[in-house]
Amino acid sequence: MSKRKKLKMGAVLDGLGWNHMAWQHPEMPADASESIDFYVQQAQLTEAAKFDTLFLVDVSHVGPGNIPHYLSMFEGVSIMSALSMKTKNIGLSATIASSYGDPYSAARQILSLDKISKGRASLNAITSNPGGMVNFSRGHLGKEDQYPMNKEFMEILIGLWDTYEEYAFIRDKARGIYLDHRKMHTLNYRGEYFSVDGPLNLSRSVQGRPVLYTAGTSEKFIEHATSYTDGAFTHGETLEATVAVAGRIRKKLAEKGRKSEDFIIAISQNPIVGRTDKEALEKYMELLSLRPRNSLPTPLFFGSAKTVADQVQLWYESGAMDMFMIRQDHPHGQRDFMELVVPILQERGIFRTEYEADTLRGNLEIPKPAFRKVSAG
Ligand SMILES: Cc1cc2nc3c(=O)[nH]c(=O)nc-3n(C[C@H](O)[C@H](O)[C@H](O)COP(=O)(O)O)c2cc1C
């Protein structure tokens, strides 16, 4: 049996969490979703804890029932670019919906982020819900279009990221040779939804290509993830349900001849941790008291640092996840996890104490993809 990789960890930077009340907590800046100072503080805290990646989920339109802080929030690639200059090792992941975004622009933005950060970028290319299409001149499209669009989007992204082979740019001043033209390839992609000639105007990434994820739980999502991406962001209501989703993903990877250790299955949870179980319960009650008419589900990862570390270890060893991403409902949820739980996981040898590599792929222990010629160009 191959050696089990260490647990990977990410922090989802939607500061106020997926809840209606955290913005009212006295210790939470109510404008966190549009505060650069807040993002920088969280990013640096997360990097100090040696996490693999920062991860931004996204809601790119105002819709019914939006939680308050999603009414005014930064766009993901912009904020990740800013954070790239305030961090050194940690991965930077933005989310772009293939139903809304343009694949040429997304390929260019994320590869630029990758170069700005020297090989730390990734993209979560989700379908999202069709509600936002009206903001992107796609009001005529609906749910049934989303997966076919997602497939084309992924194929174009990967194709454009393979525009230039390695060492394509010679930039020899004396001989006046800028580019080895044989190493530049045109995509010429024709789809039902997207039509892109290429080439992309950016050279190859030091990590081969930026890391690509998608998110979901359905069979179609699994089909796309296992065909195109390096990882999947998924979800289950319980440990058993999450192990089952992860099992379906790994089975499909094997059917396609891919190794599960080269693929990252990520989940996210909002742990509430205290020095004792009682302290964790107090933090949870504090949140509930803010806005009683909006309930907050009891967190699955909940209690003293040891209790939560045991839960993380159990989920990891049960195969529910390769990467554990933490969000926060409590204003100090992520800090508490990093200060109290991470040292226990490090002591148990489950999580790293130092970054192993300079690139995101290196730290995730997934291979650097070889150049693939995808066109006749
Ligand atoms: C773990 C997870 C994370 C997601 N993150 C986002 C997100 O950040 N923004 C968004 O608009 N949709 C997000 N989605 C929704 C998906 O893009 C998709 O619309 C949904 O999963 C339905 O697809 P499925 O039934 O094929 O899984 C997420 C879904 C899951 C399961």
Side-chain angles (χ1 to χ4, degrees):
M1 204 178 113
S2 62
K3 190 171 153 277
R4 183 83 202 263
K5 294 199 296 197
K6 281 208 162 65
L7 175 68
K8 307 302 170 196
M9 289 222 270
V12 178
L13 291 191
D14 59 349
L16 297 152
W18 187 263
N19 64 66
H20 286 259
M21 70 277 274
W23 68 273
Q24 292 173 291
H25 192 286
E27 285 162 44
M28 172 57 84
D31 64 349
S33 310
E34 54 165 292
S35 159
I36 182 65
D37 299 336
F38 179 82
Y39 281 95
V40 169
Q41 176 199 307
Q42 290 301 108
Q44 291 179 339
L45 187 73
T46 308
E47 186 168 64
K50 313 294 176 199
F51 274 38
D52 292 83
T53 193
L54 302 169
F55 200 97
L56 267 186
V57 290
D58 192 43
V59 173
S60 50
H61 67 285
V62 172
N66 266 153
I67 57 178
H69 70 100
Y70 282 152
L71 299 174
S72 179
M73 64 190 284
F74 285 147
E75 183 280 319
V77 183
S78 310
I79 185 68
M80 283 300 167
S81 294
L83 296 181
S84 74
M85 303 309 288
K86 294 283 183 181
T87 54
K88 202 169 165 293
N89 294 102
I90 197 160
L92 305 158
S93 189
T95 290
I96 295 176
S98 53
S99 309
Y100 310 153
D102 169 73
Y104 187 93
S105 304
R108 192 171 179 219
Q109 284 174 296
I110 299 296
L111 188 51
S112 295
L113 177 65
D114 196 73
K115 300 212 148 231
I116 292 168
S117 65
K118 302 188 167 63
R120 295 188 279 137
S122 57
L123 170 64
N124 181 29
I126 53 159
T127 50
S128 191
N129 65 61
M133 285 187 171
V134 287
N135 290 336
F136 299 87
S137 311
R138 293 182 186 151
H140 56 293
L141 300 176
K143 198 163 176 53
E144 66 288 358
D145 297 295
Q146 288 195 285
Y147 272 104
M149 284 173 94
N150 186 257
K151 177 176 190 291
E152 292 183 14
F153 193 94
M154 301 275 201
E155 288 174 351
I156 293 167
L157 272 183
I158 295 170
L160 289 175
W161 285 337
D162 275 338
T163 289
Y164 291 107
E165 294 177 43
E166 243 169 295
Y167 313 114
F169 287 87
I170 298 165
R171 297 189 179 113
D172 184 328
K173 291 187 180 182
R175 291 190 295 150
I177 304 173
Y178 199 78
L179 169 72
D180 178 348
H181 284 274
R182 291 166 305 178
K183 293 188 173 163
M184 180 174 103
H185 302 275
T186 306
L187 183 62
N188 286 323
Y189 189 96
R190 295 288 172 268
E192 290 287 316
Y193 299 91
F194 300 110
S195 196
V196 177
D197 282 4
L200 185 69
N201 56 347
L202 199 54
S203 68
R204 192 168 181 75
S205 160
V206 288
Q207 52 172 351
R209 289 197 296 264
V211 174
L212 186 60
Y213 309 95
T214 187
T217 52
S218 68
E219 287 308 318
K220 279 184 182 161
F221 144 78
I222 291 178
E223 186 58 46
H224 283 203
T226 52
S227 291
Y228 301 112
T229 72
D230 303 291
F233 182 17
T234 193
H235 178 73
E237 294 294 331
T238 59
L239 170 60
E240 292 70 30
T242 314
V243 169
V245 182
R248 278 159 52 211
I249 296 171
R250 292 195 183 103
K251 183 164 173 280
K252 190 59 96 179
L253 284 168
E255 280 169 26
K256 294 182 183 179
R258 293 184 66 185
K259 290 194 225 152
S260 57
E261 57 268 33
D262 293 346
F263 191 90
I264 303 292
I265 297 177
I267 61 156
S268 81
Q269 291 287 337
N270 307 22
I272 295 189
V273 189
R275 278 172 184 77
T276 59
D277 288 337
K278 185 165 164 284
E279 196 180 289
L281 183 62
E282 282 162 7
K283 290 181 185 180
Y284 177 58
M285 296 312 286
E286 215 179 285
L287 286 171
L288 287 187
S289 70
L290 292 172
R291 220 174 175 210
R293 72 176 176 278
N294 282 301
S295 69
L296 184 68
T298 317
L300 274 182
F301 291 73
F302 188 28
S304 71
K306 183 178 172 305
T307 306
V308 174
D310 289 346
Q311 289 172 315
V312 174
Q313 182 166 1
L314 175 66
W315 281 54
Y316 164 65
E317 289 178 351
S318 308
M321 61 192 185
D322 302 309
M323 178 150 76
F324 188 52
M325 299 209 285
I326 57 168
R327 310 175 79 154
Q328 62 178 17
D329 285 325
H330 190 275
H332 304 305
Q334 289 178 323
R335 189 196 68 190
D336 289 345
F337 184 93
M338 290 167 198
E339 284 182 6
L340 300 174
V341 181
V342 167
I344 301 177
L345 298 174
Q346 287 171 327
E347 205 173 300
R348 293 180 187 176
I350 296 167
F351 185 60
R352 73 163 66 79
T353 50
E354 251 328 313
Y355 287 106
E356 298 88 7
D358 293 333
T359 64
L360 177 57
R361 281 183 190 276
N363 285 316
L364 292 177
E365 298 178 77
I366 55 173
K368 174 178 171 177
F371 174 84
R372 288 180 329 155
K373 192 161 179 285
V374 287
S375 74

